[in-house]
Amino acid sequence: MLFIRLAWADESFCAQLSSFQAIYKKQLQTIRVEHIYDGDTLRLVDGRKVRLLGVNTPELARDQRPAQALAQQAADAASQWLDQARELQLLVGAEKTDRYGRVLGHIFNDRGQNLEAFLLARGLAFAIVVPPNVQHADCFAAIESQARAKLSGVWAHEDWQPLPARLAVQQEKTGFQRLIGTVTRVDGGKTLWIELDQALVLRADTTNFPNFWVGFSSDLVGKKLVVRGWLTRRKLSNSLKSKGFKEWLMTVKSPYAFEQGDFAQ
């Protein structure tokens, strides 16, 4: 397995965080946090619920689902970071809310430090990029890469190692997953459909980062991928199933979702 050394995974990009508050000073909102749901979701005293941009942390137990590995550690780390700040500031993303009505944003403290970067550096979050909210994607990828090299947090925990695609389907896994599988089929144009191990399909919107997809999608069949994202099971008619459509689907929002691959000729 070869780590894909992506062009954006460069520590130099992280210099942007140091000047971020000055650049966006007029857009920053001073906030106070009332409650932490988990490492990446919190509630403000004004009642707004905030979902951190650029990261996904392990989830605490809810809705009859057990807590994911390191979920409590991520929540505790976020709580400690927030408690130590004399002042907190929120920058709302280009897309301001998600489908649940949560505010999407970045949080900084009075020293200019960023909560998402703090969690990534400790291996308590995964870098996630969902356009149009792509600010700091390069920086977050670089910070995650450092944590991964040190085997910090999730990068050393057995529960967070990539799960074979076929096994994920057999075990009916849903929610955020890291999957590994061999590409068995590729279809599409603006929407790229990538089948893994004849078990599930990745749906990628190629209108975002078009230059990446042109090179990436060629000659994929037979290659091995590691991909992260939210795995869902959709309802399909028997007719669609007979045509080869897969029930299990992971939507790929950006190239940052891909981690590793064997691209040997």
Side-chain angles (χ1 to χ4, degrees):
M1 297 295 293
L2 301 174
F3 181 64
I4 300 177
R5 297 191 178 276
L6 302 169
W8 51 76
D10 186 322
E11 293 177 34
S12 64
F13 283 111
C14 294
Q16 64 183 306
L17 285 178
S18 62
S19 59
F20 185 75
Q21 286 180 303
I23 296 173
Y24 293 95
K25 185 176 181 179
K26 293 183 179 180
Q27 299 177 40
L28 291 168
Q29 305 172 24
T30 299
I31 59 170
R32 290 169 55 202
V33 175
E34 182 177 71
H35 178 72
I36 294 177
Y37 293 98
D38 54 30
D40 58 31
T41 309
L42 46 88
R43 184 175 69 241
L44 307 182
V45 293
D46 61 15
R48 288 183 295 169
K49 199 171 181 179
V50 175
R51 175 62 165 83
L52 297 181
L53 281 174
V55 296
N56 185 66
T57 63
E59 291 190 356
L60 292 168
R62 64 166 60 94
D63 299 331
Q64 299 183 333
R65 296 187 64 168
Q68 295 179 313
L70 299 180
Q72 190 61 57
Q73 290 89 328
D76 290 345
S79 179
Q80 182 180 19
W81 188 93
L82 292 165
D83 288 344
Q84 291 177 349
R86 289 183 297 177
E87 183 177 82
L88 295 170
Q89 294 179 314
L90 169 70
L91 180 79
V92 177
E95 183 175 26
K96 300 182 185 303
T97 59
D98 65 9
R99 60 177 177 167
Y100 304 110
R102 300 178 297 185
V103 175
L104 300 172
H106 299 284
I107 292 182
F108 293 84
N109 63 18
D110 51 285
R111 296 183 296 278
Q113 298 167 330
N114 174 258
L115 176 54
E116 301 98 274
F118 174 83
L119 294 168
L120 286 167
R122 284 150 184 78
L124 296 174
F126 295 95
I128 297 295
V129 180
V130 180
N133 294 321
V134 298
Q135 282 179 316
H136 306 317
D138 300 321
C139 180
F140 289 166
I143 296 172
E144 180 191 87
S145 181
Q146 294 174 4
R148 179 177 182 153
K150 296 175 183 177
L151 295 180
S152 299
V154 295
W155 303 108
H157 200 289
E158 61 179 358
D159 285 7
W160 285 111
Q161 301 314 299
L163 186 66
R166 189 173 296 279
L167 184 59
V169 170
Q170 291 174 351
Q171 296 181 353
E172 299 187 342
K173 295 286 187 179
T174 57
F176 185 81
Q177 305 289 334
R178 293 178 68 219
L179 301 177
I180 183 170
T182 299
V183 177
T184 46
R185 182 176 176 179
V186 179
D187 293 300
K190 288 185 178 180
T191 299
L192 189 64
W193 300 87
I194 304 171
E195 183 185 80
L196 293 184
D197 294 339
Q198 298 182 327
L200 57 84
V201 67
L202 311 176
R203 180 176 62 195
D205 180 359
T206 63
T207 58
N208 297 306
F209 308 94
N211 292 337
F212 171 86
W213 296 113
V214 170
F216 180 80
S217 60
S218 62
D219 195 29
L220 263 183
V221 175
K223 309 304 183 184
K224 190 167 289 186
L225 298 177
V226 175
V227 61
R228 67 182 68 175
W230 281 264
L231 186 60
T232 60
R233 187 176 190 177
R234 52 186 181 164
K235 293 182 178 180
L236 295 178
S237 66
N238 290 332
S239 175
L240 288 177
K241 291 179 184 178
S242 67
K243 295 178 181 178
F245 286 78
K246 302 300 179 186
E247 287 184 285
W248 292 87
L249 169 73
M250 177 178 285
T251 299
V252 175
K253 300 290 188 178
S254 79
Y256 294 81
F258 296 100
E259 296 180 23
Q260 292 179 332
D262 181 2
F263 291 93
Q265 297 299 317

